[in-house]
């Protein structure tokens, strides 16, 4: 008997692990109120305790457990004494170029398998084979965590060929100044058709999607590069850094400088 599998499952969304993963020992200086990050945070606790706070609820991190803070979710954290953990920052990007976990608004945890943390530590910093093995183990932990969220929140979105190609074009030519007319011309489709299909399938106009994606890229660049705010605004197609800052504040209630200074 043959069984078909959807291609969205055989070719999962892109997992981008940022290069700042570390095994750290923390003390009472590790604390921050209302942290907001463009990537998801994964904490694997080895020793001690820490506290995560979301919507006034405290979650005590215990050794032997993995904790997930989804991208774009505001939370606070602290350590009252000592905390030893391995942490990763990552994005899971969907076909629209946005992080698939940004709509999740709860901190979840799962117990780690016996010896799992030590195995990951042994693989860290290794050659290609070790790096791939570590990535495989990371996939496993993340998949177990995502399985604890409601299934309907994990369903991948699919788009028509026209909208899918428009998203690919926008991501490849991303600029705040990009227009729907330019996209339609490049795809050889009527502008009104593109607008209608895009709004119907995504709930956003092409203009709103471009702005959301530009500001999301801006978040990532602020957190993962040393580019100046002026360089970031220029790269993203803004006329100047002041207009970029104004649009950023309108969306995130923080200036780019304040956003970049947040610790994690």
């Amino acid at each position: 008997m043959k069984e078909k599998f959807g291609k969205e499952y055989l070719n999962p969304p892109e997992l981008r692990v940022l290069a700042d993963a570390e095994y750290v020992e923390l003390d009472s200086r590790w604390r921050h109120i209302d942290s907001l990050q463009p990537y998801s945070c994964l904490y694997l606790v080895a020793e001690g305790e820490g506290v995560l706070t979301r919507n006034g609820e405290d979650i005590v991190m215990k050794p032997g457990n993995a904790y997930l803070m989804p991208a774009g979710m505001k939370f606070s954290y602290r350590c009252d004494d000592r905390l030893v953990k391995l942490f990763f920052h990552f994005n899971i990007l969907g076909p629209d170029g946005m992080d698939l976990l940004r709509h999740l608004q709860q901190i979840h945890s799962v117990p780690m398998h016996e010896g799992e943390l030590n195995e990951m530590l042994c693989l860290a910093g290794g050659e290609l084979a070790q790096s791939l093995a570590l990535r495989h183990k990371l996939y496993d932990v993340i998949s177990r965590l995502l399985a604890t969220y409601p299934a309907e929140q994990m369903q991948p979105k699919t788009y028509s060929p026209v909208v899918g190609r428009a998203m690919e074009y926008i991501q490849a030519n991303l600029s705040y100044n990009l227009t729907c007319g330019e996209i339609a011309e490049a795809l050889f489709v009527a502008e009104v058709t593109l607008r209608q299909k895009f709004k119907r399938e995504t709930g956003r106009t092409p203009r709103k999607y471009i702005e959301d994606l530009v500001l999301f890229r801006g978040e990532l660049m602020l957190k993962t590069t040393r580019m100046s705010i002026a360089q970031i605004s220029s790269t993203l197609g803004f006329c100047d850094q002041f207009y970029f800052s104004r649009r950023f504040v309108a969306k995130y209630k923080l200036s780019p400088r304040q956003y970049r200074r947040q610790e994690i």
Side-chain angles (χ1 to χ4, degrees):
M1 182 179 73
K2 292 184 178 179
E3 187 173 353
K4 288 188 176 181
F5 296 89
K7 65 180 181 179
E8 65 269 22
Y9 298 105
L10 294 178
N11 298 295
E14 181 183 359
L15 173 65
R16 289 186 180 178
V17 183
L18 306 184
D20 58 354
E22 286 187 46
Y23 187 62
V24 293
E25 180 173 351
L26 304 164
D27 56 26
S28 59
R29 290 171 294 181
W30 187 71
R31 57 182 61 238
H32 192 83
I33 297 175
D34 290 341
S35 175
L36 179 65
Q37 307 300 331
Y39 40 68
S40 294
C41 304
L42 175 64
Y43 295 165
L44 310 174
V45 181
E47 300 175 32
E49 290 185 355
V51 179
L52 304 170
T53 304
R54 168 71 180 161
N55 290 333
E57 179 185 357
D58 285 348
I59 300 171
V60 180
M61 293 189 290
K62 300 279 189 178
N65 292 289
Y67 298 83
L68 174 65
M69 285 62 70
M73 186 193 75
K74 188 176 291 186
F75 68 99
S76 301
Y77 58 81
R78 73 176 192 270
C79 173
D80 295 327
D81 183 20
R82 179 173 178 268
L83 173 66
V84 181
K85 66 181 175 74
L86 174 65
F87 72 83
F88 296 90
H89 297 154
F90 66 91
N91 290 110
I92 299 180
L93 301 180
D96 62 356
M98 303 291 288
D99 196 294
L100 289 175
L101 307 189
R102 289 178 75 89
H103 64 285
L104 301 179
Q105 292 295 307
Q106 292 180 315
I107 299 171
H108 280 201
S109 66
V110 294
M112 288 184 283
H113 299 323
E114 185 176 355
E116 187 171 31
L117 179 56
N118 286 334
E119 291 175 2
M120 296 177 78
L121 289 172
C122 290
L123 293 169
E127 300 298 329
L128 178 59
Q130 286 80 11
S131 296
L132 291 174
L134 176 59
R135 191 176 183 85
H136 173 74
K137 291 186 178 297
L138 189 56
Y139 260 115
D140 184 55
V141 176
I142 294 172
S143 66
R144 298 199 318 262
L145 280 159
L146 295 183
T148 66
Y149 291 88
E152 60 270 18
Q153 296 183 6
M154 295 291 105
Q155 291 298 319
K157 291 184 178 180
T158 56
Y159 302 101
S160 66
V162 169
V163 173
R165 287 190 294 120
M167 287 180 169
E168 291 175 359
Y169 182 87
I170 292 168
Q171 292 172 50
N173 301 274
L174 188 61
S175 169
Y176 189 77
N177 294 315
L178 187 63
T179 68
C180 186
E182 291 173 321
I183 301 164
E185 183 178 359
L187 300 181
F188 302 102
V189 62
E191 183 176 347
V192 65
T193 299
L194 177 59
R195 287 183 186 275
Q196 291 173 347
K197 285 182 174 290
F198 206 99
K199 181 65 182 294
R200 183 167 59 248
E201 295 181 29
T202 71
R204 291 179 285 189
T205 63
R207 177 68 250 162
K208 182 64 168 64
Y209 167 70
I210 290 169
E211 179 165 329
D212 287 346
L213 187 59
V214 162
L215 291 176
F216 174 57
R217 290 274 183 90
E219 285 185 87
L220 288 172
M221 294 168 78
L222 285 166
K223 287 293 187 177
T224 63
T225 76
R226 295 185 176 182
M227 295 172 65
S228 69
I229 294 172
Q231 289 172 321
I232 292 173
S233 64
S234 176
T235 300
L236 295 175
F238 287 88
C239 56
D240 58 55
Q241 72 179 79
F242 304 106
Y243 187 59
F244 167 61
S245 295
R246 195 154 67 244
R247 300 307 304 159
F248 197 93
V249 170
K251 186 174 180 65
Y252 301 110
K253 314 306 179 188
L254 292 170
S255 70
R257 195 175 307 278
Q258 290 170 326
Y259 189 89
R260 170 171 266 173
R261 280 203 300 258
Q262 287 187 111
E263 298 177 359
I264 190 65

